[in-house]
Structures are given as C-alpha cells and as structure tokens.
Amino acid sequence: MPPSRPPFEAIKDDPDDLVFVEEAAPAAALLAADQPQPQPQPVWRVLIVDDDADVHTTTTFALGNLEMQSRPLEFLHAYSAAEARALLAREADIAVILLDVVMEEDDAGLKLARHIRETLKLADVRIILRTGQPGYAPEIEAIRDFDINDYKTKSELTRIKLYTTVTAAVRSYEQIRAIGNSRSGLDRVVRAGVALMALQGVAAFGAGVLGQVGHIIGRDADGVLCVHHPFDLDAAGASSPRPHLPRLPRLQVVAGAGAFGPLAGSALSDAARAGGPASAALAAIDGALAAGTNVFTDHGATLVFHGKGGRQFAAHIPLAAPLGDLEQRLLEVFGGTVAVGLENVELLSHLHTAAFYDQLSKLPNRTRLVEILDATLDSPARASAILSLVDLDHFAETNDALGHQFGDLLLAAVAYRLQHCGGLDLTVARIGGDIFSVLGDASVVNPAHILALFATPFSIDGQDVRVSATMGLVRLIEHDGSGADALKDADIALKRAKVQQRAGHFYFSRSMGVEIRERVRLMHALRTGFAAGQLFVAYQPQVDLVSRRPVGAEALLRWRTDDGTLVSPAVFIPIAEYSGLIIEIGEFVLRSACHELVRLRAAGHLDFTMSVNVSQVQFRHPLFLQMLRTALAETAVPPQFVELEITESMAMEEPQLLIAMLAEIKRTGVTIAIDDFGTGFSSLSYLQRLQIDRLKIDRAFVTEITHSARGSSIAEMVIQLGRNLGLTVVAEGVEDERQAHILQLLGCPMGQGFLFARPMPPAELQQWLRENTPA
C-alpha cells in the first residue's frame, strides 16, 4: 500500500520542490491488477484552459500527485475557449477552472468566464485567471462581475503558490457545495460581496463589512473593524517617523457600528483603557491576529482578513448566542470575499492618492486643488475666499547646497506649518516644486498672516534654516472662470510679485489677465506669422549731414499681418524676446541684411555700412557667436561693412562679460555701435574698454534739440564724447532741416530719420540710392 500523501505543512517551507507520492513499482502494479477493483475515489475535477501545451504539462506535473481536502485531483484539458465551451457543456462537477486570459483573442478568457457564469449558470465552479501578458490584466469590474476566485500572472505562480491558490479555490468550492442546501445563505453572501465591491474607500468598505456580516447571520450589525499596522508609522506613511508628524497607532479603528460607532478613526488601545466593549474587542482581535485565523466563541466572532504589505484587518462582532456551523461557514466564505475586496479598495485608494495627492507632503496636488477650487467657486464661500500661491525664495540654492534630502525635509516642514496656520477650513496644497497653495477665508489667507509664518526659522536636522516666501493672490469673488483659470491667475500674480520684490506679494487684477492673454495671443500669432513669411526687413538710410551722401542703412524688422496691418516693433519685439523666438528671427534679420548688402555692393555701393540690431536675448545665447560667423561666411559679405547695434543698458548690465564677448565679435571683423546712447547710465571707464566703433544719439534728444537747451546740451555732450574717444556718431530721428542744421553745427557727422528717408523694402532702397547717390 502506498504511503500516505504528505500534508501541505510538510512541504510549504520549500519554495522550489514539492514532495510527491511514491509511485508503485511496475510488478506491484501487475499484482494489484489481479485484486478486486475498489470503488472510485472522490476527486476534485480541475479544468485547465490554455492554448500553451507546456502550461498543461507543468500544471499537472506540479499538482498531479497531491491531495487536497483528502481527495486527489483529476485534470481536464481544453486548448482554446471554444474547446472549453464544448467540454463544459458535457462535463459536470468541475471544481476549479485554471483559465488563461489571452488565447485565440485578447479577451477570450474573460468571454469564457462570462459564458460560464451567465449562459451556463455555473455559480459553484471556482475560476482562477492566469495570464502571461500582464498588459491584458482584467479590470476590477470583470473580477467582480464574473466571481473570479483569484488572478495571477504565470510568472508568479511557483509550485507552492499554484498549490496554495488551487487549494484555496478547492476549499471555496467544497464550502459552497456543502452549503448548497442553504441557497438563501449563499445568496446573501454573494449579494454582500457584490454590494461591498461597489463601495469606495476603506472606511466605507469597513462599515459595509459590518453591515453585511449582520445581514448574513441575521443579527444586529454591532461590531468594530480595525486595521493592524505592523510597523511604527507616521501620518505620512514613513517607517522612520518624522518629528513634525503624529505617529499612527498599531491598531486603528476603521469602522464601528452600534456601541463601537464613536470609535471610528481612533486607536482601539486608547478606547480599551476605559474598559467596556472596546476592551473585550481589543483582547479578541489581538488573539485572532496572533493566531492568524478566525475565532468563534459563545460570546463573539472575530474575523481576520489578510491584507498586503504586512497590514491585516480584523473585525469583532459581539454575540448574544453562539453561531451555528452553517453561519460560521458562511462567514468563512464571506471572509474570502472581504479579503479580496479590501485589497481592491486599498489599491483604488492608493491610485486615488497617487492621482490627487503629493507624495512628499501628503497634501492635495494641483489636480485635487482644481477640484476644490471648482467646488468653492460654486459655493457661498466664494464671497470671502482667497486663493494664494506661496513660492519659497531661493529654494533651489538651498537644495543644491544642502542636498535633496534636506530640501525634502524643509518642504515637509513648510507644509506642516502652513497646514496649522488657519484651522480646519483652510486648504493647503503643494502644486509643484517649492510652490504651495493656501485657499481659505480672507481673514486667514492674507500676506501679513502667511508671510509671518516664515519669520521663525525651520529646524531641520538640528539646523535652523531661515526661508522667505513670495505670494500671488486671487480674490475668488472677482474671478469669473474655472478653478484651473483661478490657479493660472494666481500664478500670474506670483510672477509679478517675484519681478517686483522677493518676500513680497501681489494681488491679481483683471487688467493683468487681459495683458497676459493678449501677450499669449500675440506670441502664437507671431510664431504663425514668422512661419508664414509675414515678417520682413526694411532699411532706413543713414546720410552724411554735410554732403547728404548715403553712407549706410539700418536693418529694421517689420510685421505685416495677412489683413495688411502693420504691428509695431515696440509691441512684438518684447514678445519675441519673452518667447525665445527672437533667436530665430534675429538670425533671419542678420542673414537678410547681409544678403542685401552683397546686392548693394554688386550695384556699386562699395562704401556702405549695414547696421543690424542685436537683442539682449540673442547676445546671451551660447551659439550667437557661431551663428554670426556662419552667416558672414555663407553670405560672403565683407565683415568690416557689417555693424551690430547693442543698447546702452545691455552694455552696462554685465560690462566685464560684455568686454570679453565684444572682443570675440571684433575678431570677426564687424563693427559695434551703441544704440539709444544717453538713455542709460554708462560708466565711461567701461565704455572706453568696450572696443565699440560708433555711438547713436537717441531720437528723444534729437527731438528736444530745437525745444530746450537741455536737449541740445546732451546731444552736444554725446558728439563731443564720440570725438574724444575716436568714435563716429549717428543722430537718430532727424525729422526737419532745423534739427539737421543744429546737429551739423554741433559737429555730428551723420544722421538718420524721416527727413532723409523712411524705412523701405529692398527694391525701394536700391531706387532711392540711385536717386540720391552723387555720380
């Protein structure tokens, strides 16, 4: 007689090898054939549905010689969903179906599960979904609707896990069949499981568990459901608690009913110290958790639901009379549904948290804040509510100097301080980086109150760190759009506050919104216009004031829209600089000017200089010098006749860097002019070292030259300065003969303005030059 099959306990500690029953020798088998045949032994019928033959082989090899619930297994095989349908139509008493999700179709397994439950009406058979392609994982709704017993990827199904999974399914099948004569009880369990799956959130699910337990056993739903935390955690979920966050209790009440209702959300140990039902519940739950199993006594039922990550849930239901065997078995079956449901609810809770809450601070993120803002805008609270953005000043430097871990601790400390500055009606969110949002009543959300929070240093890792902040604020009563629009307005106000003054604040106004929206509209229109060829270069001649002979021209960018409207450069040039489009546009202007200069030289205008404006954004671009050299080389223009104009404010902002940069530019052979000279605050010592070639008198001083002695004095000073430094001088904006005459008397050699010519396209420039160049 073969030895008895080993119990699971004897093999469960070996993750790789299962102990199989010893097979009888061939001779023994022949002798056994002569003996009277025993009655067929009851078996558990397992249907394997998979299009991979190797899966059938490995599964039967792993489980073929093992007993479950004192019975061996008998295997049925189907290699497609269609074959499985035919087999199920003729075979009965199948306990477990190991079902592949992806077969002849991506969802063939799910369709078969629907067929089994809805068409064949097989409610008892346990279905275990398996897949080798996790990307085709079934939705939670499918698991719920088709009463799936378990779902595993093939890669995680080791022999032990396969044995455990099938054993659990067999037990469920056995229990369901055993209580088949009490269909009403089973129906209550199924309905309870479905009802629980519809609940969202651990607290709601916990309350639902207590209610359904009472419904199944036909008694009042008095009881308590707790979660057991295996580690010492803080409120942010960290196993190394942070000093500014409270610690979570090891055993915490998730939901309570009846006498336990007021305990929801509290630590059961705190309530137990006062005695009463909580004390008995704590003792019962501790005992059941220690045993790792359900415990039924004459005075209560304690159910244990094993969760993931080491966490466990346990429910205690006081009883006036002990439960019968059927009721206990119903609760055992129901417990399996609850365990799966808790995992699903926790998964959904984690997904919800990841989608709507910041991982570091546990505060609402931008997405959640927009939802809260939308609700606030639709409520009476809008009348006095203020949305503010709080940006930590120079946080990046702190982060770089002291490390990201230190920076994270500082952000968490700031979040904690903001959360506790105004009571429960305040919403604090972290919308990204070092920017927080505070939403609430104007009495609390005001710059004086919020910024005062940063007056006290933050203690981080034993260091006192001083941090200041800048705020942008929006009064929601003045806002007409959505929550997302309100957040954009607050961001506009914050940017304005940062431009004006650090550690300050700024309130959003409607005019700011109009200004920003118009800027964005222009920015998109400019990009489209540039791509469509709406931008072009016009040229304004420069002349010798004595002979009136043309000596050069300034290349000026113009924008004419499709409807013929000319947009002022004063409007679109700042937009181009702000958007960074000036880099491409600037190269276009330089190349156009160089090509035009080549054409003019070919027409005989050999002693002619072309001036091109360079913006600060262009000048600071790391590839500007390379772009200049490439443009000069590809257009084959003589560089000594190309002049770059920079503004006086650019020249004086970082003179040391500019000196080095201009030296590199001068090596290309081009000349340098300072435009709008006299409007800034030049240092003459730096001016002498810049290696510039020309000064341009700003048109404002040329206009004043005939109206006040001051205007004449400034123009005369610039002309004299140019003469002393060996620089040529050009006066801009010359509009009448009197101005030209005064400038000539003051010694200004060249002029540019409407008196001589307006900016004109290339063809007109060439015609003008032919008419105004002496033979």
Side-chain angles (χ1 to χ4, degrees), residues 543-595:
V543 302
D544 184 293
L545 287 178
V546 176
S547 66
R548 301 299 172 95
R549 179 179 61 85
V551 294
E554 180 180 1
L556 299 169
L557 182 64
R558 294 293 182 262
W559 179 17
R560 180 181 287 112
T561 60
D562 285 338
D563 61 3
T565 302
L566 279 171
V567 183
S568 170
V571 173
F572 74 81
I573 291 296
I575 299 295
E577 292 179 333
Y578 174 79
S579 65
L581 191 59
I582 194 67
I583 303 300
E584 297 176 58
I585 293 176
E587 182 176 359
F588 160 73
V589 173
L590 177 62
R591 286 180 175 272
S592 298
C594 289
H595 281 301

Side-chain angles (χ1 to χ4, degrees), residues 632-651:
L632 294 174
E634 291 182 356
T635 59
V637 67
Q640 64 270 28
F641 293 101
V642 176
E643 180 178 77
L644 300 184
E645 295 186 12
I646 62 174
T647 62
E648 184 180 9
S649 58
M650 282 175 57

Side-chain angles (χ1 to χ4, degrees), residues 219-242:
R219 309 188 189 191
D220 292 338
D222 194 13
V224 62
L225 178 75
C226 298
V227 58
H228 178 257
H229 300 286
F231 308 110
D232 194 8
L233 304 177
D234 65 22
S239 57
S240 299
R242 302 168 214 171

Side-chain angles (χ1 to χ4, degrees), residues 649-685:
S649 58
M650 282 175 57
M652 292 301 106
E653 184 171 322
E654 292 180 292
Q656 293 290 3
L657 293 177
L658 188 71
I659 290 170
M661 184 65 173
L662 290 183
E664 290 292 326
I665 292 175
K666 292 284 287 185
R667 290 191 184 96
T668 67
V670 304
T671 57
I672 306 292
I674 293 185
D675 196 12
D676 302 333
F677 190 80
T679 59
F681 301 93
S682 297
S683 168
L684 297 183
S685 62

Side-chain angles (χ1 to χ4, degrees), residues 334-528:
F334 179 63
T337 302
V338 172
V340 173
L342 278 169
E343 289 185 4
N344 292 338
V345 168
E346 286 200 285
L347 173 61
L348 291 175
S349 297
H350 288 318
L351 292 175
H352 181 271
T353 300
F356 294 103
Y357 291 87
D358 172 57
Q359 185 176 2
L360 173 65
S361 64
K362 307 305 175 185
L363 295 175
N365 61 13
R366 178 186 291 270
T367 304
R368 178 61 183 142
L369 177 62
V370 169
E371 290 185 344
I372 296 171
L373 277 169
D374 286 333
T376 304
L377 288 167
D378 290 335
S379 72
R382 171 184 178 180
S384 59
I386 288 184
L387 168 67
S388 70
L389 294 184
V390 182
D391 185 7
L392 305 186
D393 297 331
H394 308 297
F395 175 77
E397 289 87 336
T398 301
N399 215 27
D400 292 340
L402 301 177
H404 292 286
Q405 183 176 1
F406 188 93
D408 288 347
L409 292 175
L410 177 57
L411 290 172
V414 171
Y416 182 76
R417 190 174 292 185
L418 288 174
Q419 279 182 290
H420 292 79
C421 72
L424 298 177
D425 294 332
L426 204 63
T427 297
V428 179
R430 181 180 177 222
I431 64 172
D434 58 348
I435 301 179
F436 295 86
S437 174
V438 183
L439 171 66
D441 191 86
S443 60
V444 177
V445 185
N446 64 78
H449 180 66
I450 300 295
L451 295 178
L453 298 173
F454 295 88
T456 304
F458 293 87
S459 180
I460 308 296
D461 276 353
Q463 299 185 50
D464 284 346
V465 182
R466 289 193 174 274
V467 179
S468 63
T470 304
M471 293 181 65
L473 304 99
V474 175
R475 298 178 179 91
L476 294 190
I477 192 63
E478 300 175 1
H479 179 74
D480 297 327
S482 65
D485 293 333
L487 198 56
K488 290 177 184 176
D489 292 346
D491 190 53
I492 291 171
L494 177 62
K495 285 183 170 63
R496 183 66 60 87
K498 291 167 71 173
V499 168
Q500 289 188 345
Q501 176 186 3
R502 288 282 185 174
H505 70 277
F506 204 93
Y507 281 90
F508 178 83
S509 65
R510 295 181 188 274
S511 61
M512 291 170 58
V514 172
E515 175 189 329
I516 292 296
R517 282 187 282 275
E518 177 62 16
R519 180 190 298 174
V520 172
R521 186 195 68 79
L522 269 176
M523 182 169 63
H524 289 298
L526 181 60
R527 288 187 182 277
T528 303

Side-chain angles (χ1 to χ4, degrees), residues 1-3 22-35 37:
M1 183 175 180
E22 293 182 10
E23 297 181 356
L30 293 174
L31 290 173
D34 296 332
Q35 303 299 320
Q37 295 299 316

